[in-house]
Amino acid sequence: MRVLLVNMPWSPIDLPSLALGILKRSVDEHVPDGSAEVLHANLEFTDWITRRMEFTAEDYEYYALASYFMGCGDWVFSSALYDDPDWRDDEFTAAMKGKLGASRMRMTRDLHRLVPEFVAEIARRIVDEAPDVVGFTSTFQQNTAALAAARQVKRLAPHIVTVVGGANCDGEQGATVHRNFPFVDYVIRGEGEAAFPRLLSALGAEHPDLSTVAGLCHHGPDGVSTANAMATSPLPPATILPPDYSGYFERLGASVARNWVEPKLVVEGARGCWWGEKHHCTFCGLNGSFMQFRSKSPDTFYEEIMDLARRHRVLDMYVVDNILDMGYLSTVLPRIIESGFDLRLHIEIKANMRRAHLRTLSDAGLIYVQPGIESLNSRVLDLMDKGVSGCQNVRMLRDGAETGLSVSWNYLHGFPGESAEDYDPVIAQIAALEHLNPPVDLSARIAIERFSPYFNRPELGFSGLRPEAHYRFTYDLPEEELYGLAYVFEAPERGIGKPTVTALNAALRCLE
């Protein structure tokens, strides 16, 4: 069985897809007579679009990351999904007036008109590869691009099995995708490295039994979408395979994007969040179906890091763990220090780590850290259920600077129960932090994310949620289906008002 795994825009171009790297290995190792290859369609797109318009690395990053909460990247590919180069152009223009500058508005609309041609070409490329199954990963702003390509593949070659999975397909989101886009044969919900090989094995059987594939969405005999129950527990860490990144660096080296980015490896030591198991931060929608923290054995994680560095001759690594396994401080990290490899790693940690811990991180090459600093006021941090104080966050910024760490942080506001009085002393003292890492941006109002306590528990302050407006001019779906599809929701503003936000941001600008 030949499987083609496709990574559509707007997946980051400086990182190989961890999800598809794991799925490739899981197919190659666990599916008899199965083989998988990865099509880096995000890199194909960079070469395609730069032949047609002025387009830079900064432009790609804007649609991949910076515009996520406005949905610009997904709207760009909605024209391909609905076969209409002018798809809801008027609604988009009206909604984004005042949010996008003239040049960004013009580029977004130009891309919207152009991308149906790219999707048609990439679908033809997929069909020419003659796979039995084509799998699309969908995370962040990949959804419309992945769906548009799946639709076109099905139109050209109805016999090719189409599968979609990824973070945009967790829980109800995946069931909604399958229910509303019939050209998608199957949707994988949850951790795919177990479900995807089981689906492929079932498809290869004389009498497929799809009911045994946890979380799978499929069409019943009557054509009606059926969603199997999700798995009741996460995969044991010992069963999480290392990724196979074969082909990514070669394809990047042949792309115009090689001049845009310094590529990084993506490594994974743990899933879930040990803090979230005890105190789920009220605004956090990460981890979806499984918050349970589980980590690979120190030996396994260390060997994966070293093997990837040797194999690809790349020392920059992005560790995707939501939070560092504290046990790695005395197991994995000392071995990295002793290895002599000059690794440069990015990782998320908790802000109450001690200076000795930070020194270990620095010595091991974890020079870029994200400690989850979102406020410097203890009362507001209590409202978030963060488990740290404002003083601890400031200490993290200080100790990080003293140990040579680059600390990435941001400021959030809009929490039910906060007041201007909570912010006044912080605003008065922010200038004293001018010698420390500034936040990555100005303060932003919190977004209500699916899977977060604010989404699941209206008694915390948010009720009557609606999908963010951009879903309404991106998809041709009724409100109740958009609710199932959406990850980000709009709600009445809570917390501080405009005068306090303005004063806070004026103070933060002084740190830039």
Side-chain angles (χ1 to χ4, degrees):
M1 179 178 290
R2 297 191 65 241
V3 179
L4 186 63
L5 302 169
V6 183
N7 193 28
M8 291 291 287
W10 299 97
S11 179
I13 54 179
D14 60 335
L15 306 171
S17 169
L18 175 67
L20 296 189
I22 292 175
L23 287 183
K24 172 175 167 49
R25 187 175 294 276
S26 68
V27 172
D28 291 343
E29 294 188 3
H30 297 314
V31 179
D33 301 319
S35 65
E37 297 297 331
V38 176
L39 174 60
H40 306 284
N42 56 338
L43 295 175
E44 299 288 340
F45 179 73
T46 63
D47 295 340
W48 185 90
I49 196 61
T50 52
R51 292 194 295 268
R52 288 161 175 80
M53 63 187 293
E54 186 71 27
F55 195 81
T56 67
E58 291 73 22
D59 294 324
Y60 192 97
E61 185 174 2
Y62 177 81
Y63 296 103
L65 297 173
S67 69
Y68 175 71
F69 290 104
M70 294 188 291
C72 293
D74 262 334
W75 183 76
V76 162
F77 278 90
S78 64
S79 56
L81 177 59
Y82 292 107
D83 255 350
D84 182 356
D86 297 314
W87 176 255
R88 296 189 175 171
D89 184 82
D90 290 342
E91 291 98 318
F92 174 83
T93 303
M96 294 298 164
K97 187 175 181 180
K99 298 180 180 179
L100 299 183
S103 61
R104 185 61 69 192
M105 177 74 81
R106 183 166 54 253
M107 173 174 283
T108 306
R109 296 174 71 196
D110 288 346
L111 288 168
H112 188 67
R113 286 188 286 271
L114 286 171
V115 297
E117 181 185 347
F118 169 75
V119 170
E121 289 185 18
I122 207 71
R124 172 52 64 187
R125 165 87 175 273
I126 291 169
V127 171
D128 288 346
E129 293 285 334
D132 299 296
V133 176
V134 57
F136 296 91
T137 183
S138 177
T139 301
F140 296 122
Q141 295 199 78
Q142 277 185 298
N143 213 43
T144 54
L147 290 172
R151 176 178 176 270
Q152 190 69 11
V153 167
K154 207 65 178 173
R155 175 184 290 176
L156 294 172
H159 64 281
I160 294 178
V161 174
T162 54
V163 185
V164 178
N168 288 331
C169 296
D170 202 359
E172 179 57 29
Q173 291 174 283
T176 304
V177 166
H178 192 259
R179 189 166 59 242
N180 286 281
F181 300 101
F183 49 82
V184 177
D185 292 317
Y186 303 98
V187 169
I188 300 286
R189 303 184 298 161
E191 296 172 296
E193 58 260 62
F196 190 55
R198 287 178 189 147
L199 169 62
L200 298 179
S201 296
L203 294 177
E206 185 175 353
H207 301 290
D209 181 9
L210 300 176
S211 65
T212 62
V213 184
L216 181 70
C217 297
H218 55 99
H219 296 107
D222 54 2
V224 174
S225 176
T226 300
N228 294 350
M230 298 279 290
T232 56
S233 60
L235 292 175
T239 65
I240 300 174
L241 295 172
D244 181 345
Y245 292 139
S246 300
Y248 165 76
F249 292 97
E250 294 79 1
R251 181 63 189 88
L252 177 63
S255 169
V256 65
R258 71 185 181 279
N259 301 314
W260 291 0
V261 297
E262 288 292 335
K264 305 173 190 66
L265 288 160
V266 186
V267 296
E268 178 185 40
R271 294 180 183 176
C273 179
W274 51 259
W275 175 254
E277 282 190 90
K278 298 179 287 188
H279 298 275
H280 191 171
C281 299
T282 55
F283 61 92
C284 178
L286 297 178
N287 296 299
S289 301
F290 291 121
M291 181 66 72
Q292 181 179 332
F293 186 74
R294 60 274 192 205
S295 60
K296 296 176 180 177
S297 75
D299 287 344
T300 296
F301 190 36
Y302 173 78
E303 290 300 334
E304 285 184 15
I305 291 172
M306 292 297 111
D307 181 66
L308 284 168
R310 293 188 194 98
R311 183 185 303 273
H312 299 290
R313 304 180 69 82
V314 172
L315 297 175
D316 279 308
M317 297 189 179
Y318 187 84
V319 185
V320 297
D321 305 6
N322 289 163
I323 192 167
L324 173 71
D325 182 339
M326 295 295 286
Y328 288 164
L329 286 165
S330 59
T331 54
V332 177
L333 300 189
R335 293 183 66 183
I336 291 177
I337 295 170
E338 294 168 3
S339 74
F341 276 53
D342 185 21
L343 297 180
R344 296 179 293 275
L345 294 94
H346 309 234
I347 196 166
E348 295 191 23
I349 61 176
K350 189 137 174 50
N352 59 1
M353 291 182 69
R354 298 295 182 181
R355 190 179 307 194
H357 296 152
L358 299 181
R359 174 60 64 189
T360 300
L361 295 181
S362 179
D363 291 345
L366 283 92
I367 56 176
Y368 303 98
V369 296
Q370 211 285 52
I373 296 174
E374 283 98 11
S375 179
L376 301 179
N377 178 271
S378 295
R379 182 173 177 276
V380 177
L381 288 164
D382 285 343
L383 293 174
M384 301 181 196
D385 213 358
K386 288 293 292 187
V388 293
S389 67
C391 288
Q392 286 176 309
N393 280 345
V394 172
R395 187 182 69 187
M396 165 58 69
L397 294 173
R398 181 202 66 189
D399 291 350
E402 291 184 353
T403 53
L405 298 173
S406 178
V407 180
S408 175
W409 67 289
N410 59 301
Y411 220 108
L412 297 178
H413 64 268
F415 297 91
E418 69 180 13
S419 67
E421 289 72 24
D422 296 320
Y423 286 79
D424 290 341
V426 172
I427 292 170
Q429 297 177 76
I430 279 179
L433 304 181
E434 62 179 353
H435 58 300
L436 303 178
N437 283 129
V440 295
D441 207 343
L442 299 179
S443 182
R445 188 168 293 278
I446 59 168
I448 308 304
E449 300 177 349
R450 185 182 295 275
F451 305 115
S452 71
Y454 279 146
F455 177 79
N456 291 318
R457 297 172 56 194
E459 70 272 15
L460 294 178
F462 294 98
S463 59
L465 300 176
R466 293 188 68 196
E468 276 287 356
H470 62 79
Y471 293 103
R472 295 194 284 278
F473 55 72
T474 298
Y475 297 98
D476 187 21
L477 294 174
E479 180 87 4
E480 60 271 19
E481 294 300 308
L482 289 176
Y483 191 90
L485 182 76
Y487 181 75
V488 184
F489 295 80
E490 59 183 28
E493 292 186 357
R494 301 285 187 248
I496 57 174
K498 186 174 181 180
T500 304
V501 175
T502 300
L504 175 62
N505 283 332
L508 292 174
R509 284 191 182 94
C510 296
L511 302 181
E512 295 177 346

